[in-house]
Amino acid sequence: MRKLSRRAVTAIVATATTAALATAPAEAGPLTYTIQNGGYLTGTNMGPISAYGSRSGFAMNCTSSTFSGWTQKDTSGSPVVDGIVDGENIATLDDVSFSSPGANANDWCWSNGVYAQVTTLGLPWKFVATGSGPGGTTDGRLTGIQFKLHMQSSPCDVIIGGPGVGGSGGYYEAMYLNPSTLTSGDAILFIDFQGVSNLTVLSISGPSCEALYMPGEPVSLIGQYNLKRTGPVPPAAGISPTIT
């Protein structure tokens, strides 16, 4: 599937009906959404997952990324399959991984021309909904984002995240595209290169780091994930949740 940009998504759905152009409720209080086909989830990348530094120009590129997770859980501890959920807890992402299978013996990613091991920190991460967008999309943020780059050959270690204890307050703007003809039937979690974020390079260590990475440097991400449910069964696995 071709890569999407926020502008492209907006343009594609601009012809949707006025009813589809819903916005968040004007009244104060937590946002709530209706979810269908929720449950335990798996996400698989569509194209490379990349990170870029806005000052030094460093780059990270991974050809593969996956995650598991679940939609908001009810009082019994089970994910909500069909029902009302609050925007703060729509989905939890656990066991997030980044790699480049076959690129090297360890399947590591790339960063500035060398192999880089990418380790996720501060799990679980969450998708927090912040409002409804055009064409039935859901605007939101990935929160809790933090990860480490380890370049063994340099050597160099870089930790990227947000403010808060241990960098746990990191977030990046994201958009959830419900399953439709626009997404070829499967939902997409879309991370826009131009998304609002508070991610920075938190720390560097190693003699080779200083020439390539800058503490405090803002970091941008870009990528897309195909999102499907794995259970409970029934209902059927292999379909995507719908959030409205």
Side-chain angles (χ1 to χ4, degrees), residues 203-229:
S203 65
I204 61 174
S205 60
S208 301
C209 278
E210 293 181 2
L212 299 174
Y213 308 92
M214 300 174 58
E217 176 176 14
V219 177
S220 296
L221 304 178
I222 184 170
Q224 300 178 66
Y225 289 87
N226 178 265
L227 200 68
K228 294 183 180 180
R229 69 189 306 277

Side-chain angles (χ1 to χ4, degrees), residues 98-207:
F98 298 90
S99 62
S100 289
N104 54 82
N106 296 313
D107 294 336
W108 285 4
C109 302
W110 286 89
S111 183
N112 291 81
V114 299
Y115 298 128
Q117 181 186 36
V118 182
T119 303
T120 50
L121 306 172
L123 293 171
W125 300 350
K126 286 188 176 184
F127 176 70
V128 175
T130 57
S132 298
T137 58
T138 301
D139 292 327
R141 290 179 170 181
L142 286 173
T143 65
I145 298 176
Q146 186 184 171
F147 56 93
K148 176 182 177 181
L149 307 182
H150 169 66
M151 281 67 70
Q152 187 172 11
S153 62
S154 298
C156 174
D157 290 308
V158 180
I159 295 181
I160 295 170
V165 178
S168 60
Y171 71 82
Y172 205 94
E173 191 175 51
M175 178 189 291
Y176 186 76
L177 285 71
N178 284 305
S180 67
T181 55
L182 173 63
T183 62
S184 299
D186 293 324
I188 295 174
L189 181 62
F190 173 58
I191 304 168
D192 191 350
F193 180 72
Q194 298 177 330
V196 176
S197 169
N198 68 350
L199 298 185
T200 63
V201 174
L202 295 177
S203 65
I204 61 174
S205 60

